[in-house]
Amino acid sequence: MKETDREAVATAVQRVAGMLQRPDQLDKVEQYRRREARKKASVEARLKAAIQSQLDGVRTGLSQLHNALNDVKDIQQSLADVSKDWRQSINTIESLKDVKDAVVRHSQLAAAVENLKNIFSVPEIVRETQDLIEHGELLQAHRKLMDLECSRDGLMYEQYRMDSGNTRDMTLIHSYFGSTQGLSDELAKQLWMVLQRSLVTVRRDPTLLVSVVRIIEREEKIDRRILDRKKQTGFVPPGRPKNWKEKMFTILDRTVTTRIEGTQADTRESDRMWLVRHLEIIRKYVLDDLIVAKNLLAQCFPPHYEIFRSLLRTYHQALSARMQDLAAEDLEANEIVSLLTWVLNTYTSVEMMGNAELAPEVDVALLEPLLSADVVSALLDTYMSTLTVSHGWSHTEPGWREGGPFWTGRNLLHWRMDLPDGYYQTTLPAIVFQMFEQNLQVAAQISEDLKTKVLVLCLQQMNSFLSRYKEEAQLYRDEHLRDRQHPHCYVQYMVAVVNNCQTFKESIVSLKRKYLKHEAEEGVSLSQPSMDGVLDAIAKEGCGSLLEEVFLDLEQHLNELMTKKWLLGSNAVDIICVTVEDYFNDFAKIKKPYRKRMIAEAHRRAVQEYLRAVMQKRISFRSAEERKDGAERMVREAEQLRFLFRKLASGFGEEMDSYCDTIVAVAEVIKLTDPSLLYLEVSTLVSKYPDIRDDHIGALLAMRGDASRDMKQTIIETLEQGPAQASPDYVPIFKDIVVPSLNVAKLLK
């Protein structure tokens, strides 16, 4: 206490010191004293109230404990009295056993008297019930059946209570009511028949279906009551529980399965479209059934049955089982496509489960797949392997099979030719890509992944096809070279072959753009060999074959060049120009990318053949006058060729004069009158055309006819010491020109 007092005094001193820090606060000492006095009085009042409340609570608790003690003593006394009375009444209870037995017998006799009328009328009730069942009055029949079963069960229960081990009396009662079980089975058959036709019955006579549901619901209530009594007494009447509700759903499940399986009316042998027809019938039946179940059937069943949800689940399971059975069969490629399209697309589309009339009860997002991912993957693998061996392509179009109609003879090239947009081409690209389109369209209906796989396969097939196409074009050219009169329309078909290459390239690009997503394009491009190179090679060979045809016709006139006849006034170049122009009128049917290259190559080849004639040493000029006339003629003919090829290339916006300049440059060497400048002129020629060889120079000097042996040797040896370097864009023209096998030493003589 002393410590507490000291702490209180110290606290008070601190508070007073805080109040009286300035001299002017001494005037308020009295005011501070009154305020502190009021606070002290308030605290003391609250303290007294709290102590008083605690004391009242303690007093009340003690009072209740005292009352509880008295109650416990009273209960203890009462229990002692009850125990005493019970020991005294044991003998009395044992003496009442006879009374108890009499009460049981009285109860049984009362039940027998109560059911006596029903017992004697059992045969009549059985007949009436049978008639009601036959006439379809199921509710009334069930009412009488319930009366019979109630009488039987009541008697058997009383017998069970009196003597549960007396099987003889139980058997007697059961045999007397033996017809009851038969009536129950017969009534059940009628109920199941109605349920099997429930989707038809609900439209024609919904009352009958409601009666069936009411009967089943009654039986469910009786089953529950009997099971509850079994827990208390252990007694269960014969034939119980019936579980008709469970059997009802079993019947509905079996009916749905049978209905779906029964929609297959055809087989592959009788109808090639059997699966498409089968799936369409399933779609129509299931959609119609579910709409009826949602709008009509659900109104005939209690809400807690959730009949529509149950039927939806049943249909889904039955469809899944049926689709698995179909997937396990040996399906053809088109059948696999039909099945997967139906399973993956049609089933969840607005044509079936996504139909507006089924919403919102049916949410396609919550439906499980009809086929597992493994089964779908296996079907896709089968489909892809079927396409690979080619019997999965269109059966009506030429196939890919080796030896099929598409590959026979020259059919690959001679497929019907048309003239779209003024260009020769065959229908081959259209046929090929029509097959691709057909397979890609059906693959796109199934899944994006399959579409990509089929596109990859199409490109692989295209690559193989182009290799064969190239071989056929080469064989076709070789066949023509053996006999230029055959095949008929060779030039037109070779033009079509070249044009087909451009069409193939455009179609491949279009196919990728149409069926390939951007994110997958890079992977597919990397996985496929470049077909542009193959197509360009085919087109190049085709153009080369056509030019070969041109120059075979020009061979006779080319042989006239650089001869005495030519020098005296031959019209060989005129004929060459007319022939080339005539051919290129036909070549105008070649598409621009290849026609442009072909004109350039024809220009180069024409100049090259002209220069080859120069190098053949067919003529050697004997005088400056002859050299002048020959050179001037060469320049004029170079201008003729230049004019011709400018005319042919006029639509391409590019000049192609450089080749003809070569003829002019050679003519300048021949025209030169001062032999001392010959080395300088030849050097200029070599610098312009680095691919010119010493044998070319020797032949050119031999054609001049005035160069001495020493001059020839000096020029050739000097040029050999510092060969010119070709520019990167230089196109060789002398490289392929072969000088007749006269060695340089002979040329120098």
Coordinates of all heavy atoms in Angstrom, one line a residue, residues 713-744:
Q713 N 50.4 -14.8 -134.7 CA 51.0 -15.4 -133.5 C 51.3 -14.4 -132.5 O 51.1 -14.6 -131.3 CB 52.3 -16.1 -133.9 CG 53.0 -16.9 -132.8 CD 54.1 -17.7 -133.3 OE1 54.4 -17.8 -134.5 NE2 54.8 -18.4 -132.4
T714 N 51.7 -13.2 -132.9 CA 52.0 -12.1 -131.9 C 50.7 -11.7 -131.2 O 50.7 -11.5 -130.0 CB 52.6 -10.9 -132.7 OG1 53.8 -11.3 -133.3 CG2 52.9 -9.8 -131.7
I715 N 49.6 -11.5 -132.0 CA 48.4 -11.1 -131.4 C 47.9 -12.1 -130.4 O 47.5 -11.7 -129.2 CB 47.3 -10.8 -132.5 CG1 47.7 -9.6 -133.3 CG2 45.9 -10.6 -131.9 CD1 46.8 -9.4 -134.5
I716 N 47.9 -13.4 -130.8 CA 47.3 -14.4 -129.9 C 48.2 -14.5 -128.6 O 47.7 -14.6 -127.5 CB 47.3 -15.7 -130.7 CG1 46.2 -15.6 -131.8 CG2 46.9 -16.9 -129.7 CD1 46.1 -16.8 -132.7
E717 N 49.5 -14.5 -128.8 CA 50.4 -14.7 -127.6 C 50.3 -13.5 -126.7 O 50.3 -13.7 -125.5 CB 51.9 -14.9 -128.1 CG 52.1 -16.2 -128.8 CD 53.6 -16.3 -129.3 OE1 54.3 -15.3 -129.2 OE2 53.9 -17.4 -129.7
T718 N 50.2 -12.3 -127.2 CA 50.1 -11.1 -126.4 C 48.8 -11.1 -125.6 O 48.7 -10.8 -124.4 CB 50.1 -9.8 -127.3 OG1 51.3 -9.9 -128.0 CG2 50.1 -8.6 -126.4
L719 N 47.7 -11.5 -126.3 CA 46.4 -11.6 -125.6 C 46.3 -12.7 -124.5 O 45.7 -12.5 -123.5 CB 45.3 -11.8 -126.6 CG 45.0 -10.6 -127.6 CD1 44.0 -11.0 -128.6 CD2 44.6 -9.4 -126.8
E720 N 47.1 -13.8 -124.7 CA 47.1 -14.8 -123.8 C 47.8 -14.4 -122.5 O 47.5 -14.9 -121.4 CB 47.8 -16.1 -124.4 CG 47.0 -16.8 -125.3 CD 47.8 -18.0 -125.9 OE1 49.0 -18.1 -125.7 OE2 47.1 -18.9 -126.5
Q721 N 48.7 -13.4 -122.6 CA 49.5 -13.0 -121.4 C 48.6 -12.2 -120.4 O 48.8 -12.2 -119.2 CB 50.7 -12.1 -121.8 CG 51.7 -12.9 -122.6 CD 52.8 -12.1 -123.1 OE1 52.8 -10.8 -122.9 NE2 53.8 -12.7 -123.9
G722 N 47.6 -11.5 -120.9 CA 46.7 -10.7 -120.0 C 45.3 -10.9 -120.3 O 44.7 -10.0 -120.9
P723 N 44.7 -12.0 -119.9 CA 43.3 -12.2 -120.2 C 42.4 -11.2 -119.5 O 42.7 -10.9 -118.3 CB 43.0 -13.6 -119.8 CG 44.1 -13.9 -118.8 CD 45.3 -13.1 -119.2
A724 N 41.4 -10.8 -120.1 CA 40.4 -9.8 -119.5 C 39.6 -10.5 -118.5 O 39.3 -11.7 -118.5 CB 39.6 -9.2 -120.6
Q725 N 39.1 -9.7 -117.5 CA 38.2 -10.2 -116.4 C 36.8 -9.8 -116.7 O 36.5 -8.7 -117.1 CB 38.6 -9.6 -115.0 CG 40.0 -10.0 -114.6 CD 40.2 -11.5 -114.3 OE1 39.2 -12.1 -113.8 NE2 41.3 -12.0 -114.6
A726 N 35.9 -10.8 -116.6 CA 34.5 -10.6 -117.0 C 33.8 -9.9 -115.8 O 34.1 -10.1 -114.6 CB 33.8 -11.9 -117.3
S727 N 32.9 -9.0 -116.2 CA 32.1 -8.3 -115.1 C 31.0 -9.3 -114.6 O 30.7 -10.3 -115.3 CB 31.4 -7.1 -115.7 OG 30.5 -7.5 -116.8
P728 N 30.5 -9.1 -113.4 CA 29.6 -10.0 -112.8 C 28.3 -10.2 -113.6 O 27.8 -11.3 -113.6 CB 29.2 -9.4 -111.4 CG 30.4 -8.5 -111.1 CD 30.9 -8.0 -112.5
D729 N 27.8 -9.2 -114.3 CA 26.6 -9.3 -115.0 C 26.8 -9.7 -116.5 O 25.9 -9.7 -117.3 CB 25.8 -8.0 -115.0 CG 26.6 -6.8 -115.5 OD1 27.8 -7.0 -115.6 OD2 26.0 -5.8 -115.7
Y730 N 28.0 -10.1 -116.9 CA 28.3 -10.4 -118.3 C 27.7 -11.8 -118.6 O 27.9 -12.7 -117.9 CB 29.8 -10.4 -118.5 CG 30.2 -10.9 -119.9 CD1 30.0 -10.1 -121.0 CD2 30.8 -12.2 -120.1 CE1 30.3 -10.6 -122.3 CE2 31.1 -12.6 -121.3 CZ 30.9 -11.8 -122.4 OH 31.2 -12.3 -123.7
V731 N 27.0 -11.9 -119.8 CA 26.5 -13.1 -120.2 C 27.4 -13.7 -121.3 O 27.5 -13.0 -122.4 CB 25.0 -12.9 -120.8 CG1 24.5 -14.2 -121.3 CG2 24.2 -12.3 -119.7
P732 N 28.0 -14.8 -121.1 CA 28.9 -15.4 -122.1 C 28.2 -15.6 -123.4 O 27.1 -16.1 -123.4 CB 29.4 -16.7 -121.5 CG 29.2 -16.5 -120.0 CD 27.9 -15.6 -119.9
I733 N 28.9 -15.4 -124.5 CA 28.3 -15.6 -125.8 C 29.2 -16.5 -126.7 O 28.8 -17.2 -127.5 CB 27.9 -14.3 -126.5 CG1 27.0 -14.6 -127.7 CG2 29.1 -13.5 -126.9 CD1 26.3 -13.4 -128.3
F734 N 30.6 -16.3 -126.5 CA 31.5 -17.1 -127.3 C 31.8 -18.4 -126.6 O 32.4 -19.3 -127.3 CB 32.8 -16.3 -127.4 CG 32.7 -15.1 -128.4 CD1 32.4 -13.9 -127.9 CD2 32.9 -15.3 -129.7 CE1 32.3 -12.8 -128.8 CE2 32.8 -14.2 -130.6 CZ 32.5 -12.9 -130.1
K735 N 31.5 -18.6 -125.4 CA 31.9 -19.8 -124.6 C 31.5 -21.1 -125.3 O 32.2 -22.0 -125.3 CB 31.3 -19.6 -123.2 CG 31.6 -20.8 -122.3 CD 31.0 -20.6 -120.9 CE 31.3 -21.8 -120.0 NZ 30.7 -21.6 -118.7
D736 N 30.2 -21.1 -125.8 CA 29.7 -22.4 -126.4 C 30.0 -22.5 -127.9 O 29.5 -23.4 -128.5 CB 28.2 -22.4 -126.1 CG 27.9 -22.4 -124.6 OD1 28.7 -23.0 -123.9 OD2 26.8 -21.9 -124.2
I737 N 30.7 -21.5 -128.4 CA 31.0 -21.6 -129.9 C 32.3 -22.4 -130.1 O 33.3 -22.1 -129.5 CB 31.2 -20.2 -130.5 CG1 29.9 -19.4 -130.3 CG2 31.6 -20.3 -131.9 CD1 30.0 -18.0 -130.8
V738 N 32.1 -23.5 -130.8 CA 33.3 -24.4 -131.0 C 33.8 -24.2 -132.4 O 33.1 -24.2 -133.4 CB 32.8 -25.9 -130.9 CG1 34.0 -26.8 -131.2 CG2 32.2 -26.1 -129.5
V739 N 35.1 -23.9 -132.4 CA 35.8 -23.8 -133.7 C 36.2 -25.1 -134.3 O 36.5 -26.0 -133.5 CB 37.1 -22.9 -133.5 CG1 37.9 -22.7 -134.8 CG2 36.7 -21.5 -132.9
P740 N 36.0 -25.4 -135.5 CA 36.4 -26.7 -136.1 C 37.8 -27.1 -135.7 O 38.7 -26.3 -135.5 CB 36.3 -26.4 -137.6 CG 35.3 -25.3 -137.8 CD 35.5 -24.4 -136.6
S741 N 38.0 -28.4 -135.6 CA 39.2 -28.9 -135.0 C 40.4 -28.7 -135.9 O 41.1 -29.6 -136.2 CB 39.0 -30.4 -134.7 OG 38.7 -31.1 -136.0
L742 N 40.7 -27.5 -136.2 CA 41.9 -27.1 -136.8 C 42.8 -26.4 -135.8 O 42.3 -25.4 -135.2 CB 41.6 -26.1 -138.0 CG 42.5 -26.2 -139.2 CD1 42.3 -27.6 -139.9 CD2 42.2 -25.1 -140.2
N743 N 43.9 -26.9 -135.5 CA 44.7 -26.3 -134.4 C 45.2 -24.9 -134.7 O 45.2 -24.5 -135.9 CB 45.8 -27.2 -134.0 CG 46.8 -27.5 -135.1 OD1 47.0 -26.6 -135.9 ND2 47.4 -28.7 -135.1
V744 N 45.6 -24.2 -133.7 CA 46.0 -22.9 -133.9 C 47.2 -22.7 -134.8 O 47.3 -21.8 -135.6 CB 46.3 -22.2 -132.5 CG1 46.9 -20.8 -132.7 CG2 45.1 -22.3 -131.6

